[in-house]
Amino acid sequence: MPWTGDLDSAFRALADPTRRRLLDSLHEHNGQTLGELCVGMHQSRQAVSKHLGILEEAGLVTTERQGRNKLHHLNPAPINDIGERWIHRYERTRIDALSDLRRALEEHTMETTDRTEFRYTTYIRTTPERLWQVLTDPAFTTVWWQATTFDTTWEAGAPMTWNHRGMTLTHPEQVILEADPPHRLSFTWHTLSPEWAAMSGLDPDAQTAVVNEPRTVATFDLEPDGNLVKLTVTHSNLLPDGQVIQLITNGWPRVLSDLKSFVETGTV
């Protein structure tokens, strides 16, 4: 079952220490097979598989096929919701029932795959067509994406100018890579110019690191699931342990939380 915002299934899944250990393992090294996850668990393959099924049903784990292998990925969206709805709401620094998930909650950590790719999956109550419009129409992006709009035809190969808080970011390498509405959208990330770094408040060393890192790619996959849309955002071509990976780790969960809130409620 997909994550729909019901915290009951997430709390039930998190109640078991073995399942929390599996999440810890995926947090440390994402995209593992069942065999890899069994290492060090001291349980049968069948038992570990059952635990993973419960985590997947609760929306805490997502899977994908890669050849003959089934890879498991940590999905932090439910954990992020727990943090937003419970920990932050009551301004508590510690909740005993979640102590084993402290690392997963810090900075709203996103999914990682070998530290070169981030993946975040969430479920939004809407249609693919409506979500595509919200992802691309400047009247909507300026609301949920921190005053950001895009000048582009949204066709593969088309240039893409970013307008972010009064700053215009343009470069020949800023292009749409793939556009298949309302299913898949992929584009190169904006140019990390010194002006952008200064506007973002980065210190001089961080500015230098950001500007010298390779250009990255953001991909949005939209998949209908009943009256929901499964949205998977993958940010790839990241430099392991670089500055950009730290920035988007903090950025994507909040941006996508605002997107979900805007689509479902009209506000952020």
Side-chain angles (χ1 to χ4, degrees):
M1 293 174 61
W3 170 250
T4 62
D6 178 10
L7 296 180
D8 289 345
S9 60
F11 276 117
R12 285 194 295 268
L14 295 172
D16 186 273
T18 297
R19 293 194 281 272
R20 295 197 296 269
R21 287 178 59 197
L22 287 169
L23 293 179
D24 283 340
S25 179
L26 289 174
H27 181 259
E28 293 297 324
H29 178 65
N30 221 357
Q32 295 187 60
T33 64
L34 172 59
E36 291 170 330
L37 286 166
C38 287
V39 176
M41 296 303 295
H42 306 296
Q43 293 197 21
S44 69
R45 185 182 181 92
Q46 182 179 6
V48 173
S49 179
K50 184 177 180 180
H51 283 303
L52 288 170
I54 293 172
L55 291 169
E56 185 175 358
E57 183 178 359
L60 290 158
V61 166
T62 61
T63 60
E64 66 169 334
R65 285 287 180 182
Q66 193 172 94
R68 296 183 177 180
N69 293 322
K70 182 179 182 181
L71 305 184
H72 299 79
H73 297 276
L74 171 67
N75 178 31
I79 297 172
N80 186 58
D81 254 16
I82 290 171
E84 291 293 335
R85 296 186 188 186
W86 291 91
I87 296 176
H88 295 170
R89 176 183 294 179
Y90 297 108
E91 299 181 347
R92 297 177 61 182
T93 59
R94 183 175 303 178
I95 294 180
D96 292 340
L98 299 177
S99 61
D100 289 316
L101 289 174
R102 186 176 296 118
R103 284 179 298 165
L105 287 168
E106 290 174 353
E107 303 296 343
H108 304 289
T109 303
M110 298 175 69
E111 291 191 30
T112 63
T113 302
D114 297 330
R115 300 289 297 171
T116 62
E117 178 182 288
F118 275 82
R119 179 179 300 153
Y120 193 101
T121 300
T122 188
Y123 289 83
I124 302 177
R125 194 171 302 278
T126 186
T127 64
E129 292 78 11
R130 172 63 174 168
L131 183 54
W132 183 275
Q133 182 183 18
V134 173
L135 288 173
T136 58
D137 190 323
F140 298 134
T141 61
T142 193
V143 177
W144 65 267
W145 199 334
Q146 304 173 5
T148 299
T149 61
F150 311 100
D151 294 328
T152 182
T153 62
W154 299 108
E155 298 174 339
M160 185 182 194
T161 297
W162 291 54
N163 304 296
H164 179 67
R165 296 183 178 178
M167 177 177 293
T168 299
L169 299 167
T170 185
H171 191 278
E173 294 180 358
Q174 280 180 208
V175 297
I176 303 295
L177 298 175
E178 186 176 353
D180 179 21
H183 309 294
R184 184 178 175 87
L185 176 65
S186 182
F187 49 80
T188 53
W189 201 239
H190 68 76
T191 301
L192 304 174
S193 65
E195 293 78 14
W196 173 86
M199 183 196 70
S200 300
L202 300 180
D203 62 52
D205 290 340
Q207 289 186 34
T208 300
V210 164
V211 171
N212 289 329
E213 290 189 34
R215 188 175 298 274
T216 58
V217 174
T219 301
F220 296 74
D221 287 300
L222 291 67
E223 180 182 344
D225 194 318
N227 62 344
L228 304 170
V229 176
K230 177 183 177 183
L231 174 65
T232 301
V233 177
T234 305
H235 202 130
S236 56
N237 200 37
L238 295 163
L239 187 66
D241 300 318
Q243 185 68 39
V244 175
I245 203 169
Q246 298 178 39
L247 294 173
I248 66 169
T249 294
N250 297 328
W252 272 125
R254 185 165 297 278
V255 168
L256 294 174
S257 177
D258 286 346
L259 169 64
K260 178 179 172 67
S261 178
F262 179 69
V263 173
E264 295 185 342
T265 71
T267 61
V268 295

